[in-house]
Amino acid sequence: MSGRTGTTGRNGAGGTGGTGGPGGAGGAGAGGSRLAVDELIDSPKTRIIVCCGSGGVGKTTTAAAIGLRAAERGRKVVVLTIDPARRLAQSMGLTELDNTPRIVKGVTGDGELQAMMLDMKRTFDEVVLNHADPERARAIMENPFYQSLSAGFAGTQEYMAMEKLGQLRAAEEWDLIVVDTPPSRSALDFLDAPNRLGSFLDGKVIRILTAPAKVGGRSAMKFLNVGMGLFTGTLGKIFGAQLLTDVQTFISAMDSMFGGFRERADRTYQLLQAPGTAFLVVAAPERDALREAAYFVDRLAADRMPLAGLVLNRVHGTGAPQLTAERALAAAEALEENGSEHASPAAELLAAGLLRLHAERMQVMGRERRTRDRFVSVYPDVPIVEVAALPGDVHDLEGLRTIGERLSGSAD
């Protein structure tokens, strides 16, 4: 695990860490400042919270719990998930999520919670309809290459996530937008969307493909055909001549819109860097998950994105921390070998089994603590909040409230 120290946790909404507290649910533990989640979500200056992290660490649940807690503390919130999993809808009591924000019922307090899931094709269609005249929009949307591009072309989801976030923020309808990103490192691919788009539009392939539509005259076409012969012939064999025709038609129709795409993406990128945005890296107390978390922290620092802190989910605890694993195992072995004159054999076996389970839990806690401490030693300035593991999955608003309480430390 490698990284730069002293570069995060101090920008914009990220400067919310308090003093270090005791370990356990909601605490920071030794060697790390406490992430004050309630201060973050209560501040009217916080307008966007982006939850990122690897898969399987509770990122979607964290985003939903933060959204619910913020709403029940008086804010008008929309949770945008880019992850196609249906867990968010199920936990909020919604039958489905789509590109339109839907009100979540059962929220207490003075706030309001809405949720939605990114539909990249519909978002792309909306952009075309909003920024092209009806005839050009119809030509674009009927183009086979556009239909493939909008339905699942590499990078389209990340760019459309930028578009949708920009739309939500520009609407000024919500006090707080919580973004649940896709799992793994692709969660930060949308940070590359403006540069990728610029590279695509300025690339040699696009300039060659658009040249026939931009250069008039038969002689010019003859000149271009000589230069493009080998190029288009090779591509035609690989992709098919019809695809090249579809691409050229699509680019010609979209040409007047490309500048708007890039401009809006740049604005959203700047919005993500602004003081009103806070990134939360979500992880589990496991080596691989914290290695991914280190990548996110480094990447956010390199891009000057405001990191609020780390949410460490599914941290194990015990009601008898004074009983070490070694003592528990020794007691279990003594019971199994010698028994007890005050208990039946069945009770002795049960007690020995419980002692061994406790020893295993203490060993897990030790591994988690060492893994966490290694992360803290590299990133001492990143505020942390630890969330205790629940006995089961979260599947309703009550479960989300419990997670919210543990995030805030009020369930300690």
Side-chain angles (χ1 to χ4, degrees):
M1 187 182 301
S2 64
R4 49 180 73 80
T5 60
T7 59
T8 56
R10 289 193 284 264
N11 295 329
T16 61
T19 58
S33 62
R34 165 72 175 270
L35 172 62
V37 172
D38 281 351
E39 289 182 22
L40 179 67
I41 64 178
D42 287 348
S43 173
K45 295 181 180 179
T46 305
R47 302 298 303 276
I48 297 172
I49 295 177
V50 181
C51 296
C52 54
S54 58
V57 296
K59 178 174 54 61
T60 298
T61 301
T62 298
I66 287 174
L68 176 62
R69 187 165 183 83
E72 295 192 330
R73 293 172 70 87
R75 304 199 71 181
K76 187 174 182 180
V77 186
V78 61
V79 177
L80 166 64
T81 182
I82 307 173
D83 188 345
R86 300 289 175 177
R87 292 186 302 275
L88 185 61
Q90 294 169 354
S91 65
M92 292 183 171
L94 298 172
T95 56
E96 62 177 341
L97 283 179
D98 56 23
N99 220 43
T100 301
R102 297 178 180 271
I103 294 179
V104 177
K105 298 179 180 180
V107 175
T108 62
D110 299 328
E112 181 181 295
L113 178 61
Q114 298 181 26
M116 63 181 297
M117 185 174 71
L118 177 72
D119 182 331
M120 62 180 177
K121 185 181 188 314
R122 185 173 168 186
T123 300
F124 210 152
D125 290 347
E126 290 173 353
V127 172
V128 172
L129 291 170
N130 291 333
H131 296 90
D133 61 76
E135 183 177 351
R136 185 181 292 266
R138 186 181 69 256
I140 292 171
M141 295 174 68
E142 291 177 355
N143 183 278
F145 180 74
Y146 169 79
Q147 293 171 2
S148 298
L149 179 71
S150 60
F153 207 75
T156 305
Q157 183 186 51
E158 290 76 22
Y159 179 77
M160 288 305 133
M162 294 280 280
E163 281 279 352
K164 181 55 67 176
L165 177 58
Q167 291 174 10
L168 294 174
R169 184 64 180 84
E172 292 288 350
E173 186 176 341
W174 299 274
D175 300 331
L176 177 64
I177 302 169
V178 181
V179 181
D180 168 40
T181 57
S184 193
R185 296 186 176 187
S186 63
L188 290 179
D189 282 353
F190 65 89
L191 297 180
D192 294 324
N195 287 334
R196 285 185 178 182
L197 183 66
S199 299
F200 174 73
L201 299 179
D202 297 332
K204 293 180 179 179
V205 174
I206 295 301
R207 289 203 300 270
I208 292 174
L209 289 175
T210 56
K214 293 181 177 179
V215 180
R218 185 174 301 176
S219 60
M221 285 301 298
K222 288 182 178 179
F223 174 77
L224 286 171
N225 285 338
V226 171
M228 292 179 65
L230 179 60
F231 174 78
T232 57
T234 302
L235 289 183
K237 291 178 181 178
I238 298 173
F239 301 110
Q242 185 58 48
L243 174 60
L244 290 182
T245 301
D246 293 338
V247 171
Q248 288 177 322
T249 305
F250 165 75
I251 292 172
S252 178
M254 289 283 290
D255 185 51
S256 63
M257 295 179 58
F258 282 146
F261 275 104
R262 181 160 24 199
E263 181 181 347
R264 288 191 303 277
D266 287 339
R267 282 202 302 265
T268 304
Y269 188 86
Q270 292 167 6
L271 183 65
L272 291 172
Q273 291 179 316
T277 298
F279 281 81
L280 290 177
V281 176
V282 183
E286 302 164 359
R287 184 179 61 182
D288 290 344
L290 281 172
R291 183 181 294 117
E292 285 292 291
Y295 163 80
F296 285 116
V297 170
D298 284 341
R299 174 66 197 277
L300 291 170
D303 286 13
R304 299 182 181 179
M305 297 290 170
L307 173 64
L310 174 74
V311 175
L312 198 60
N313 272 333
R314 301 171 185 167
V315 177
H316 290 88
T318 177
Q322 70 281 1
L323 180 59
T324 66
E326 292 76 15
R327 290 175 57 195
L329 285 174
E333 291 172 357
L335 280 174
E336 292 167 346
E337 292 177 3
N338 306 319
S340 170
E341 60 183 17
H342 303 295
S344 66
E348 292 169 0
L349 288 175
L350 177 61
L354 291 174
L355 285 166
R356 289 188 178 279
L357 285 175
H358 176 79
E360 291 177 5
R361 172 60 63 87
M362 293 298 291
Q363 290 168 349
V364 168
M365 290 171 57
R367 287 196 300 271
E368 291 179 349
R369 184 173 59 253
R370 291 189 295 273
T371 303
R372 175 199 178 281
D373 289 348
R374 283 196 293 271
F375 179 89
V376 171
S377 69
V378 179
Y379 302 96
D381 291 345
V382 176
I384 299 176
V385 60
E386 296 182 2
V387 180
L390 293 178
D393 292 333
V394 174
H395 54 80
D396 55 18
L397 287 183
E398 196 55 44
L400 292 178
R401 285 193 186 96
T402 300
I403 294 294
E405 291 171 356
R406 296 187 179 197
L407 281 165
S408 70
S410 57
D412 290 358

